[in-house]
Amino acid sequence: MDGTKEMGGLRNVSSVCSISEMDDFDFSRLLDKPKLNIERQRSFDERSLSELSIGLTRGIDTFETTYSPGGRSGFNTPASSTRNSFEPHPMVADAWEALRRSLVYFRGQPVGTIAAYDHASEEVLNYDQVFVRDFVPSALAFLMNGEPEIVKQFLLKTLHLQGWEKRIDRFKLGEGAMPASFKVLHDPIRKTDSLVADFGESAIGRVAPVDSGFWWIILLRAYTKSTGDLSLAERPECQKGIKLILTLCLSEGFDTFPTLLCADGCSMIDRRMGIYGYPIEIQALFFMALRCASSMLKHDQEGKEFIERIVKRLHALSYHMRSYFWLDFQQLNDIYRYKTEEYSHTAVNKFNVIPDSIPDWVFDFMPTRGGYFIGNVSPARMDFRWFALGNCIAILSSLATHEQAMAIMDLIEARWEELVGEMPLKIAYPAIESHEWRIVTGCDPKNTRWSYHNGGSWPVLLWLLTAACIKTGRPQIARKAIDLAETRLLKDSWPEYYDGKLGRYVGKQARKYQTWSIAGYLVAKMMLEDPSHLGMISLEEDRQMKPVLRRSSSWTC
């Protein structure tokens, strides 16, 4: 780009990403020609407004009108106006250097970043591969820094891999499945490069990733929002890739719920952790991917048919999640008093949850003001655990209503020691222990209490927390979390995760120079510095989808 300047790996570029989104948008009107309608969003509190020096806008977010011919809509203020207004933290330059060291090249072009650059580790396993979910924060960092080409190449290479025939033990996977990861093999003799993909056939536990396809769609939309380049998503192969993913997850079957049935280990929590069924992480990503896909599908005959299916699923999914996965103080009290063995459509306890199954910890954990989406809901079972990624994505995708989003932030503030502690952010809370740990995890030695997926603290989640904080007008929470991370991350060589109730100890098997820990920090810093970047990863609420709930609005009391 013209006028760019390299400084510690950070390029000084103009910000072109708009935060305009689908405010007051009715999904049933997706088939109509949309009109651009931008209005002013609520400002931050006085302190954050003066510090961030930027205003936010909201409006209709549609694929066709994100950018207009002859000029880009949205923010176009030179980034230097905010970036040069303070002294950058010395960690930023180190982070950029480490991120660039993790780049993977295919035929001379960068196509992704490896999971970790830890030469001290005895076992490489698959940490030298490019993971779809791991690359997302790296991609966002490059997009925010005005370097979109690597993201474009990644999207095209993974799309190419999607087209491969996928067989595991003579069983063929769905055509739309995206790989968990891929590796570039260099042949120095023949001077050729080749790709090797893993769709689950080599993974620990042999579980195929459900989230890869959703992250791919979300990242394609982020690329489009950041660059204004409509041509990539409009390519026939990209349109086909989106539709193949949608065909997999929108197929009709025996399920009576609009949520997506998933196996244990199918997401970021990629080992057995008792999330089988309808894990919040997958449902939130599913919801967000559907919304992103609906904005990028062409309005031809086939595209309109997919959009109609998306609209129907979104309405059902939003109602189901907001009604049955949501927990606040009043709802917890209602479940505590549930009657069981109720029959017919008039039943209040629709899933026949036995009140005695409510764990003791949740009564003390739940504040009188606040709430969250619980981990799982299925027949006779509610997983009351807190899962960070699912709740943050619920906010960013507007699966959470405005009131619910504010309640989630209230909960984080009220339970700061439990959910943040000394290193952001707990992936799940609380940890499962003793006999329950043996049953649920299969005695997994890596997932012992307060470690790894079992209550460990993951720095990568910092970018999701920061995005959720900015969207809800609470940047001071993100600033506090980033300050915590800056006391340890560089000194500890960018670990994958931390152990302990407060996240005080570097994880016992954590890789050093974990790429998404590095990228997550950079994205959080850049987003807090220039909140307009939020537009590439956030969607505003569709008020037409608000259900009439029986639930208490205790978070507004």
Side-chain angles (χ1 to χ4, degrees), residues 21 41-42 58 280-281 283-285 287-288 291 321-322 326 371-373 386-413 425 463-474 477 534 537-542:
E21 299 298 346
Q41 188 189 29
R42 285 186 299 275
R58 296 168 76 182
I280 179 60
E281 176 178 330
Q283 311 315 317
L285 286 171
F287 182 88
M288 189 169 194
R291 293 197 63 186
M321 297 298 296
R322 293 169 180 175
W326 180 254
Y372 65 103
F373 289 99
W386 150 273
F387 289 92
L389 194 150
N391 275 274
C392 287
I393 290 293
I395 292 175
L396 295 177
S397 65
S398 288
L399 170 60
T401 64
H402 172 73
E403 293 81 7
Q404 288 172 336
M406 299 305 288
I408 293 170
M409 301 312 299
D410 287 340
L411 178 86
I412 291 173
E413 285 194 297
L425 178 68
W463 82 264
L464 284 158
L465 175 64
T466 300
C469 288
I470 293 172
K471 183 170 182 179
T472 54
R474 311 245 190 126
I477 298 177
L534 181 67
I537 201 69
S538 175
L539 296 160
E540 287 305 314
E541 186 175 2
D542 169 27

Side-chain angles (χ1 to χ4, degrees), residues 110-112 132 135-136 139 143 148-162 178 182 212-213 215-224 232-233 235 237-238 296:
V111 293
V132 173
F135 181 67
V136 170
L143 288 174
E149 188 60 29
I150 180 178
V151 182
K152 182 177 182 179
Q153 291 303 318
F154 169 85
L155 289 166
L156 290 173
K157 288 295 177 290
T158 47
L159 185 65
H160 171 70
L161 295 174
Q162 182 198 39
M178 281 285 186
F182 67 86
S212 291
W215 279 123
W216 186 87
I217 290 175
I218 292 166
L219 186 56
L220 178 61
R221 183 226 177 228
Y223 170 87
T224 302
L232 180 61
R235 288 191 184 188
E237 61 267 35
C238 283
M296 294 186 294

Side-chain angles (χ1 to χ4, degrees), residues 150 170 172 211 235 299 369 511:
I150 180 178
R170 301 183 181 182
K172 187 177 178 181
D211 60 343
R235 288 191 184 188
H299 286 218
R369 178 186 176 93
R511 293 301 195 279

Side-chain angles (χ1 to χ4, degrees), residues 361-430:
W361 65 265
V362 76
F363 292 104
D364 295 327
F365 178 74
M366 178 60 69
T368 53
R369 178 186 176 93
Y372 65 103
F373 289 99
I374 64 174
N376 219 318
V377 176
S378 56
R381 177 176 177 251
M382 297 182 81
D383 183 351
F384 289 91
R385 284 177 294 175
W386 150 273
F387 289 92
L389 194 150
N391 275 274
C392 287
I393 290 293
I395 292 175
L396 295 177
S397 65
S398 288
L399 170 60
T401 64
H402 172 73
E403 293 81 7
Q404 288 172 336
M406 299 305 288
I408 293 170
M409 301 312 299
D410 287 340
L411 178 86
I412 291 173
E413 285 194 297
R415 296 293 176 255
W416 185 264
E417 287 298 303
E418 292 92 337
L419 301 180
V420 180
E422 295 186 20
M423 177 54 65
L425 178 68
K426 279 273 179 283
I427 189 172
Y429 181 89

Side-chain angles (χ1 to χ4, degrees), residues 226-362:
S226 176
T227 64
D229 178 13
L230 308 179
S231 63
L232 180 61
E234 288 178 342
R235 288 191 184 188
E237 61 267 35
C238 283
Q239 290 288 307
K240 180 182 178 182
I242 294 172
K243 292 169 185 176
L244 285 175
I245 295 169
L246 293 176
T247 299
L248 266 183
C249 59
L250 292 176
S251 60
E252 297 172 343
F254 289 99
D255 212 327
T256 58
F257 313 133
T259 40
L260 202 61
L261 183 63
C262 299
D264 237 333
C266 67
S267 58
M268 177 182 174
I269 299 177
D270 57 10
R271 290 196 179 206
R272 186 174 169 186
M273 269 291 291
I275 63 169
Y276 175 86
Y278 308 91
I280 179 60
E281 176 178 330
I282 290 298
Q283 311 315 317
L285 286 171
F286 180 33
F287 182 88
M288 189 169 194
L290 288 179
R291 293 197 63 186
C292 290
S294 68
S295 70
M296 294 186 294
L297 284 170
K298 286 187 175 180
H299 286 218
D300 52 20
Q301 184 58 40
E302 188 181 16
K304 287 183 178 180
E305 291 174 1
F306 270 102
I307 290 172
E308 288 175 358
R309 294 172 66 186
I310 288 173
V311 169
K312 291 177 182 177
R313 191 63 169 261
L314 282 172
H315 278 272
L317 184 61
S318 63
Y319 177 84
H320 183 91
M321 297 298 296
R322 293 169 180 175
S323 300
Y324 304 120
F325 274 67
W326 180 254
L327 189 72
D328 59 20
F329 182 82
Q330 184 58 52
Q331 175 60 7
L332 179 59
N333 206 149
D334 291 345
I335 297 171
Y336 177 68
R337 292 168 50 83
Y338 266 170
K339 295 179 180 179
T340 59
E341 303 298 321
E342 293 182 303
Y343 179 75
S344 87
H345 64 277
T346 60
V348 175
N349 185 1
K350 296 181 184 294
F351 298 94
N352 197 37
V353 174
I354 311 301
D356 286 347
S357 68
I358 304 174
D360 291 338
W361 65 265
V362 76

Side-chain angles (χ1 to χ4, degrees), residues 500-513:
K501 273 192 174 183
L502 296 178
R504 297 179 64 188
Y505 306 98
V506 175
K508 58 185 176 182
Q509 294 188 43
R511 293 301 195 279
K512 298 293 184 71
Y513 295 98

